[in-house]
Amino acid sequence: MSGAVLPGALRAEYPLLETCTYLNSNSTGAMPRAVEGVLAHYWTTMRTWRDAVWDGWLSQMQGYADAVADLIGAQPGSVALDLNLSAHLSRLGTCLDFSGERRRVVITDLEFPTVPFIWKGFARYGAELVVVPSRDGRVDEAALEAAIDERTRLVCVSHAAFATGALLDVARVAKAAHAAGALIATDAYQTVGAVPVDVRALDVDFLMGGAHKWLGGSEAAFLYVRPELLPTLKPASTGWLAGATPLAFQAPEDWAPDARRMMGGTPAPLMVLLSRPGLELLKGVGIHAVREHSLKLTSRLMARANEAGLRVVTPREPHQRGGVVALSFPGDARVMQRLVARGFICSHRGFLRVAPHFYNTPEEVEGFMDALIEEQRREAA
């Protein structure tokens, strides 16, 4: 769709948009109508079940993993799938040794709650958590760099903060991590599908994301692993799919040579099947076109907030923000609830979050801000 004006005819592919003004893709993205056909086919498969179905399902799962790899600039075979980031990050943790001097895990206070919770759990194996504080909704890269030293095993940071949308200069942090002999893992749930992501340019060792937000899918999460690290990873938390020949149904003698070694037991293929149509539509649009459209809509949201005297928490500069605009004012949580009741769908995670995507229109942004300002004034009265 290079050169096409978004969203155009693409809106017709998303039935949810017919029911409301949906500006909530940072929480859960709209799913395309093709998903209905996937569900029908799945039921037919279950109604006429044969074990041979697994061959096709595993092939389709690998195809989806490789399509994600292509989106993030990675090579085929470097992406593993599971249901959520918790599963991926916990499994990654079991590959790391925290018994020596290099036992620190450096994170920020802007991480999704899963991240500190998991690493606190790994304290029983020797991990020491270091939390770098944020300021005004974002983390200073220099502060992160200062926290990384020869005691650091892993730096685990978000590409974009889930609450504020603030982008981190991950490539800069990765350089500091590698200079200290540490690894870096990045939570990219809030960027993949909204912001161009290239794992080689970022120079990360691990990158995690998922389908159910900006990729318009279901609960299918992915983990990218730098290919040269794969032979060194021997997860203690594992399952039969991680073996070299899983469909042989024999005791594995070794892990799979590719990223599948970072998978677990019996998967939920339906989640991947449901996620394929959304990924295909987004890739058809092109991530750079998606980003251009997103910046136009989020810039307008910020301008309207400025005119209304509302605090914009999200950084203003395009290179410092993802696809979310976070607003803060007295009573913002109550305002969010009233907006949702009126059919203007947004979310609240400490701030009122607004997240237009490539299927949203400028008119929706204007209508949303009209309603928000009306409700904010009502709240302030």
Side-chain angles (χ1 to χ4, degrees), residues 129-163:
L129 188 61
V130 176
V131 183
V132 177
S134 60
R135 181 178 180 181
D136 296 327
R138 71 180 310 273
V139 173
D140 178 26
E141 286 84 359
L144 257 174
E145 291 170 325
I148 301 168
D149 59 24
E150 69 281 355
R151 296 167 293 179
T152 305
R153 171 65 64 190
L154 181 73
V155 178
C156 186
V157 290
S158 295
H159 191 193
F162 79 97

Side-chain angles (χ1 to χ4, degrees), residues 94-169:
T94 70
C95 297
L96 305 177
D97 180 9
F98 298 105
S99 63
E101 290 297 315
R102 193 180 284 276
R103 64 177 63 202
R104 288 189 170 183
V105 178
V106 176
I107 68 171
T108 79
D109 64 1
L110 293 180
E111 309 308 323
F112 194 77
T114 287
V115 174
F117 204 27
I118 286 175
W119 294 122
K120 285 179 181 179
F122 273 86
R124 72 187 65 182
Y125 305 115
E128 178 184 343
L129 188 61
V130 176
V131 183
V132 177
S134 60
R135 181 178 180 181
D136 296 327
R138 71 180 310 273
V139 173
D140 178 26
E141 286 84 359
L144 257 174
E145 291 170 325
I148 301 168
D149 59 24
E150 69 281 355
R151 296 167 293 179
T152 305
R153 171 65 64 190
L154 181 73
V155 178
C156 186
V157 290
S158 295
H159 191 193
F162 79 97
T164 68
L167 275 178
L168 183 71
D169 187 346

Side-chain angles (χ1 to χ4, degrees), residues 41-61 240 247 249 267 269-270 273:
H41 187 265
Y42 184 81
W43 169 238
T44 298
T45 299
M46 300 308 296
R47 184 172 55 82
T48 59
W49 178 260
R50 299 292 186 274
D51 282 355
V53 166
W54 275 108
D55 291 295
W57 276 353
L58 292 181
S59 177
Q60 290 179 77
M61 291 179 68
W240 65 279
L247 293 183
F249 295 103
L270 178 58
L273 301 177

Side-chain angles (χ1 to χ4, degrees), residues 1 95 196 198 210 215 236 307:
M1 290 192 62
C95 297
D198 187 322
L215 295 179
E307 293 167 4

Side-chain angles (χ1 to χ4, degrees), residues 192-213:
V192 175
V195 177
V197 173
D198 187 322
V199 293
R200 290 168 296 187
L202 295 177
D203 199 24
V204 291
D205 300 303
F206 312 100
L207 185 136
M208 295 160 286
H212 76 274
K213 299 182 185 293

Side-chain angles (χ1 to χ4, degrees), residues 20-34:
C20 61
T21 297
Y22 195 79
L23 301 176
N24 194 40
S25 294
N26 61 320
S27 182
T28 301
M31 297 181 79
R33 64 176 66 253

